[in-house]
Amino acid sequence: DQQVKQNSPSLSVQEGRISILNCDYTNSMFDYFLWYKKYPAEGPTFLISISSIKDKNEDGRFTVFLNKSAKHLSLHIVPSQPGDSAVYFCAASALSSGSARQLTFGSGTQLTVLP
Amino acid sequence: SQTIHQWPATLVQPVGSPLSLECTVEGTSNPNLYWYRQAAGRGLQLLFYSVGIGQISSEVPQNLSASRPQDRQFILSSKKLLLSDSGFYLCAGGTASYEQYFGPGTRLTVT
């Protein structure tokens, strides 16, 4: 049972335009959400996160939106740059996981930014 | 900030051979440590996590085991590799916050 779903395996966007990556979750106990970026043959790097008490968090070109009622979050990248081309993973955690702070990851979306 | 070291970067092993992958952490003490596997075209699957020395929790029953002999050392092992153990193995560290920081990964090919 996939508790975190990224239904789009790939997305192509023109340089300078907005990239919108989507993520849905089913576990209502999740209260913290993260986005990671991964290049081939490298470990994921943390991008941005959001707590369930917020509906938006912004960091430079990256903004994450959370819609708790829809159990949906999205990552907006504006403007998109060719260097943003990577696989983006959505992840979620629950306070109930205790001190282990386990993350449940989605399957990822390959973003390609075309020059 | 913490840095996660993993080695080797790539490994080719025959079926039935043993495995030992090592992960060490710099820049923090008493971290939570995690082993993940990414199969080709798939997401990250949590294999093991540890909240302290000698404390290992397994998420998925499998051919692998993990140990944490020191505070900042986490080892992934197998006595006999299977073809299905091929994948990209990632070690991650975390603290009291939710963010986890990943190492560079090990590409394991079992032949």
Side-chain angles (χ1 to χ4, degrees), chain A residues 8-82:
Chain A
S8 298
S10 63
L11 173 69
S12 291
V13 170
Q14 208 68 35
E15 181 179 4
R17 306 294 290 269
I18 184 171
S19 294
I20 300 176
L21 298 128
N22 294 304
C23 178
D24 298 293
Y25 63 96
T26 56
N27 187 344
S28 57
M29 299 300 292
F30 287 147
D31 53 13
Y32 201 84
F33 304 89
L34 308 90
W35 284 95
Y36 283 83
K37 174 181 177 180
K38 185 182 181 301
Y39 293 117
E42 293 184 10
T45 53
F46 168 70
L47 266 181
I48 192 169
S49 61
I50 188 167
S51 162
S52 61
I53 62 173
K54 295 185 174 180
D55 55 17
K56 177 182 173 182
N57 188 26
E58 193 172 349
D59 183 1
R61 296 187 298 115
F62 301 92
T63 303
V64 56
F65 294 92
L66 175 62
N67 182 334
K68 281 199 304 181
S69 60
K71 293 191 177 69
H72 177 83
L73 65 155
S74 59
L75 175 67
H76 292 211
I77 306 174
V78 182
S80 301
Q81 300 172 353

Side-chain angles (χ1 to χ4, degrees), chain A residues 31-32 34 36 38 41-46 49 87 89 93-95 97 99-103 105-108, chain B residues 32 34 36 38 41-46 49 51 59 88 90 95-105 107:
Chain A
D31 53 13
Y32 201 84
L34 308 90
Y36 283 83
K38 185 182 181 301
E42 293 184 10
T45 53
F46 168 70
S49 61
V87 176
F89 289 100
S93 186
L95 185 63
S97 67
S99 59
R101 297 283 190 266
Q102 294 144 277
L103 296 179
F105 283 85
S107 53
Chain B
N32 292 336
Y34 310 85
Y36 291 87
Q38 184 186 17
R42 306 287 295 276
L44 300 176
Q45 181 186 36
L46 178 63
Y49 66 90
V51 298
E59 286 294 291
F88 191 54
L90 289 155
T95 57
S97 65
Y98 287 95
E99 292 83 9
Q100 293 178 15
Y101 296 89
F102 286 81
R107 169 71 59 196

Side-chain angles (χ1 to χ4, degrees), chain B residues 81-92:
Chain B
L81 284 168
L82 306 171
L83 285 173
S84 57
D85 291 323
S86 293
F88 191 54
Y89 288 83
L90 289 155
C91 178

